[in-house]
Amino acid sequence: MKRLVLIALLGLTSMANAAHHEVKMLNANDEGSMVFEPGFLKVQPGDTVTFKPTNQGHFVQSRTVPEGAEKFISEEDEEFTITLDKEGIYVYTCPPHRMMNMNGIIQVGDNMTNREQAAKMVEDLEKRAQTNKGRLEKYFSEVK
Ligand SMILES: [Cu+2]
């Protein structure tokens, strides 16, 4: 009986600890034009992330997600919130500005099961970028 109560309490605690993060979709910031802010984010499993259409003409689409995680795509100029349950690396893009390296990375937890797959996607997206080259690689170097 005591154990059940403890498990229930632990469940509540982990729910209460789930954090909420925001990523702005911007036409420009210190890092250059067409950019997610922050472009690299580390969160814990169960946290939520909201993509904010701070400027117009942007949306977000996943390119690489950990095994078992759902792919995602938002509507242009719409706020979009996801809950990230699966540990690993999420690489995402703003499709209209992919060529301007409007890409970003979210690291969930510390278990990087899909690091190789993510590295390939980063390489591919960097190759396609005409401007802001190196930005996504810099984000990827922050994955630890
Ligand atoms: Cu964009």
Side-chain angles (χ1 to χ4, degrees), residues 74-101:
S74 76
E75 300 284 334
E76 187 170 325
D77 299 329
E78 296 283 335
E79 193 171 293
F80 180 72
T81 299
I82 43 169
T83 303
L84 299 163
D85 291 319
K86 300 272 183 242
E87 282 193 297
I89 303 165
Y90 296 68
V91 182
Y92 60 87
T93 190
C94 172
H97 303 119
R98 195 187 58 184
M99 306 268 276
M100 299 171 84
N101 215 348

Side-chain angles (χ1 to χ4, degrees), residues 87-89 107-116 143-144:
E87 282 193 297
I89 303 165
Q107 174 182 351
V108 181
D110 294 302
N111 188 10
M112 297 298 104
T113 52
N114 64 332
R115 181 185 272 276
E116 228 169 277
V143 172
K144 273 166 195 120

Side-chain angles (χ1 to χ4, degrees), residues 25-27 34-36 56-59 93-98 102:
M25 299 187 273
L26 298 172
N27 291 349
M34 304 306 177
V35 61
F36 290 100
Q56 289 195 326
H58 306 285
F59 64 103
T93 190
C94 172
H97 303 119
R98 195 187 58 184
M102 185 164 177

Side-chain angles (χ1 to χ4, degrees), residues 8-20 44-48:
L9 282 174
L10 284 173
L12 282 175
T13 310
S14 70
M15 265 167 65
N17 284 346
H20 182 239
Q44 293 307 314
D47 284 2
T48 54

Side-chain angles (χ1 to χ4, degrees), residues 59-75:
F59 64 103
V60 61
Q61 179 178 23
S62 61
R63 296 304 305 264
T64 297
V65 299
E67 200 177 318
E70 272 187 52
K71 294 176 182 171
F72 57 86
I73 184 165
S74 76
E75 300 284 334

